[in-house]
Amino acid sequence: KIVDAFDRKRTAEQNLELGAVKFKLDLKKGLNFFIDNGFVECDANQIALFFLNNKDKLDKTQMGEVLGKEPDSAFIKKPPDLDPEKGGPGFFLRILYHYIEALDFTGLLFDEAIRLFLSGFRLPGEAQKIDRIMEKFAERFTLQNPDVFPSADTAFILAFSVIMLNTDLHNPSIKEERRMTLDSFLRNNRGIGENGSDLPEDFLAGIFARIKERPFSLKEDDAAREKAAETIESNLNIFGDNGGLLGAGIFGTSAEERKKEKFLKEREEMMAATEQLFRRRKGKAAKAESMTAGVD
């Protein structure tokens, strides 16, 4: 019996590794593999918990894609009226809801709550997907910390701003003199409090200082950076300090340019999304004031 139990455990571990590979290559095929092999049922809550329990074994990019999928996306196409919890339209949105509901942000600093949240997956590049994911985060944080923000709307806008700050301070493609300063961070977040008020300056300054000292980072990114550093050091030893023709010329520059172009595109999308959020919020505030004046 002990041998049988050991064999079953080893088989399960091997299947989990195989499933992780399938999931990385194809999101839906990977999920189907986990379902077919008994790791999880086709159930939004179970899959959300499966992601949380195995976040260090599954591909972070694919998990982000699952959590950010369009609100009406279905995992099982027919019948069209299938329960969203069981794979019908809205299935992936339900996974997002259950994923966030399983997290506890009570008593955490705002940026530390974001850090915890983003440790399990990689945010998608599209602004609309980031919007959906961070909106649910903001609602959860505000619910569990009602004394921090007047509304989830404020938490939502600041969460976007904090993510942009992290990118701006720590992306190697940005020159030091062009990085965001504390003054610009404070300026960017003016008027996002209740009725257009400002959040406390020391509150925002604390966030800025902690993000500057310690960026948001995934474990796999840290490992990749260490490996890249080792590779670069090895190449320098082979080709000399300038990397020779291969090190500094054909591959190095083009790869850096592609990386910079991708970053700038994502940053522009996030900037545009944030501006839309500010306009939308100010529009709501103006409408509320108008209604209040009318009542008076």
Side-chain angles (χ1 to χ4, degrees):
K1 291 183 179 180
I2 295 177
V3 173
D4 290 342
F6 176 78
D7 287 341
R8 285 195 298 271
K9 181 180 180 181
R10 184 173 60 180
T11 299
E13 291 174 349
Q14 291 173 342
N15 281 339
L16 180 59
E17 291 177 1
L18 178 58
V21 174
K22 289 180 177 292
F23 181 68
K24 183 173 184 177
L25 296 175
D26 188 289
L27 186 156
K28 291 191 175 182
K29 288 182 179 178
L31 287 179
N32 275 322
F33 180 88
F34 290 130
I35 293 169
D36 293 343
N37 285 271
F39 287 97
V40 67
E41 295 180 11
C42 187
D43 177 89
N45 186 47
Q46 284 199 24
I47 291 176
L49 295 178
F50 178 74
F51 279 0
L52 277 170
N53 293 331
N54 295 279
K55 64 180 184 179
D56 292 330
K57 299 176 182 177
L58 301 177
D59 185 78
K60 299 293 194 299
T61 300
Q62 289 289 52
M63 284 201 289
E65 288 299 319
V66 170
L67 298 177
K69 271 192 170 296
E70 289 69 20
D72 59 349
S73 290
F75 182 61
I76 300 174
K77 301 298 183 183
K78 296 181 180 180
D81 59 347
L82 182 63
D83 185 351
E85 293 285 344
K86 301 300 180 182
F91 180 65
F92 295 100
L93 188 63
R94 296 305 305 168
I95 293 176
L96 171 63
Y97 288 1
H98 290 304
Y99 185 96
I100 293 178
E101 287 168 0
L103 294 170
D104 186 6
F105 303 125
T106 306
L108 291 179
L109 295 170
F110 185 62
D111 49 296
E112 290 303 319
I114 296 177
R115 187 185 305 280
L116 171 63
F117 183 48
L118 298 183
S119 68
F121 64 94
R122 188 187 305 280
L123 274 175
E126 297 89 338
Q128 287 184 338
K129 293 182 178 181
I130 299 174
D131 187 304
R132 279 191 292 274
I133 292 172
M134 297 312 298
E135 183 175 31
K136 297 310 297 181
F137 162 80
E139 291 174 1
R140 181 69 171 170
F141 181 88
T142 304
L143 177 67
Q144 294 182 322
N145 300 276
D147 297 331
V148 177
F149 298 112
S151 70
D153 192 28
T154 298
F156 178 37
I157 295 174
L158 183 58
F160 250 88
S161 183
V162 169
I163 292 171
M164 289 178 60
L165 172 67
N166 182 75
T167 302
D168 218 88
L169 289 179
H170 299 289
N171 192 291
S173 299
I174 299 181
K175 294 181 179 180
E176 189 65 33
E177 62 270 17
R178 299 191 64 182
R179 295 190 187 281
M180 191 179 297
T181 63
L182 174 57
D183 286 342
S184 57
F185 181 63
L186 295 175
R187 187 168 55 252
N188 290 344
N189 290 290
R190 283 178 184 157
I192 68 172
E194 190 173 15
N195 298 323
S197 62
D198 293 341
L199 296 176
E201 186 172 317
D202 59 344
F203 175 77
L204 295 175
I207 291 176
F208 183 92
R210 289 188 293 273
I211 297 298
K212 185 175 182 179
E213 180 181 355
R214 184 179 169 220
F216 298 148
S217 182
L218 293 172
K219 288 182 179 179
E220 61 189 32
D221 290 339
D222 292 335
R225 275 191 289 271
E226 290 177 5
K227 185 175 181 180
E230 292 173 359
T231 301
I232 291 172
E233 184 176 355
S234 176
N235 287 340
L236 288 175
N237 290 336
I238 295 173
F239 296 110
D241 291 340
N242 292 325
L245 177 61
L246 295 179
I250 298 175
F251 297 111
T253 303
S254 60
E256 182 63 25
E257 287 177 351
R258 287 196 299 271
K259 180 179 178 182
K260 186 174 182 179
E261 288 174 3
K262 181 180 179 182
F263 161 71
L264 290 175
K265 181 180 178 181
E266 291 180 359
R267 188 170 184 269
E268 287 173 2
E269 289 178 349
M270 290 187 68
M271 287 286 286
T274 304
E275 288 175 3
Q276 290 174 12
L277 289 174
F278 274 98
R279 285 198 296 269
R280 186 169 67 190
R281 191 190 184 288
K282 288 180 179 178
K284 287 181 180 178
K287 184 177 180 181
E289 290 177 5
S290 176
M291 292 177 65
T292 302
V295 171
D296 294 340

